[in-house]
């Protein structure tokens, strides 16, 4: 997973300046599928997570002058629901949570999923 956010400082010293936050998550998950005989599928999983958080600060919005990396280990938990069509395509939703060891609960992700099985 890769995500980027644009933010603006709200304190008096850096007010009006912007910075970017980049998140990269690499995970190895182990999953188990429930109800594999019908069209409605549930998939639970957990895994180990390696998180990289980078912050890039801009000087008056022109040039990037500083970049800081923060690397952490964590646990990834997810629950998927999807509907398997007869033509092997599927569509559904995923709920995912990320727990970083040094911080604690990092956040929740709710996203659609779709694909095809072979």
């Amino acid at each position: 997973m890769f995500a980027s956010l644009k933010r603006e400082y709200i304190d008096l010293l850096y007010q009006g300046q912007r910075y970017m936050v980049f998140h990269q998550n690499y995970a190895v998950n182990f999953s188990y599928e429930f109800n594999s005989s019908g069209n409605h599928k549930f998939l639970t999983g957990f895994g180990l997570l390696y998180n990289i958080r980078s912050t890039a600060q801009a000087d008056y919005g022109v040039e990037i002058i500083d970049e800081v990396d923060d690397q952490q280990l964590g646990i990834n938990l997810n629950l998927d629901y999807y509907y398997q069509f007869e033509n092997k395509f599927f569509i559904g939703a995923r709920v995912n949570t990320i727990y970083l060891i040094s911080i604690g609960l990092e956040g929740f992700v709710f996203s659609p999923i779709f694909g095809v099985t072979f």
Side-chain angles (χ1 to χ4, degrees):
M1 179 193 84
F2 179 81
S4 65
L5 305 164
K6 277 188 184 178
R7 300 243 170 131
E8 198 169 295
Y9 287 106
I10 58 172
D11 61 1
L12 294 176
L13 185 61
Y14 296 106
Q15 191 170 19
Q17 293 186 23
R18 296 179 183 167
Y19 66 100
M20 299 277 297
V21 178
F22 303 97
H23 286 277
Q24 298 177 50
N25 288 332
Y26 300 95
V28 175
N29 286 334
F30 303 94
S31 299
Y32 181 78
E33 184 178 282
F34 294 98
N35 195 14
S36 59
S37 61
N39 290 355
H40 299 278
K41 312 283 184 175
F42 290 95
L43 190 86
T44 60
F46 74 96
L48 299 175
L49 177 79
Y50 178 66
N51 175 271
I52 302 171
R53 181 179 186 255
S54 302
T55 304
Q57 299 174 350
D59 184 15
Y60 301 106
V62 178
E63 295 286 329
I64 294 177
I65 60 170
D66 191 25
E67 193 166 328
V68 179
D69 284 336
D70 184 20
Q71 303 173 12
Q72 302 174 25
L73 293 176
I75 299 170
N76 185 32
L77 301 170
N78 61 25
L79 175 64
D80 294 358
Y81 164 78
Y82 62 93
Y83 182 82
Q84 179 82 49
F85 295 101
E86 298 299 325
N87 60 3
K88 302 296 182 186
F89 284 94
F90 62 88
I91 189 168
R94 168 175 288 167
V95 177
N96 187 341
T97 186
I98 298 168
Y99 181 88
L100 298 177
I101 294 170
S102 62
I103 294 176
L105 185 63
E106 173 72 11
F108 290 97
V109 177
F110 180 75
S111 63
I113 57 173
F114 56 91
V116 63
T117 57
F118 296 97

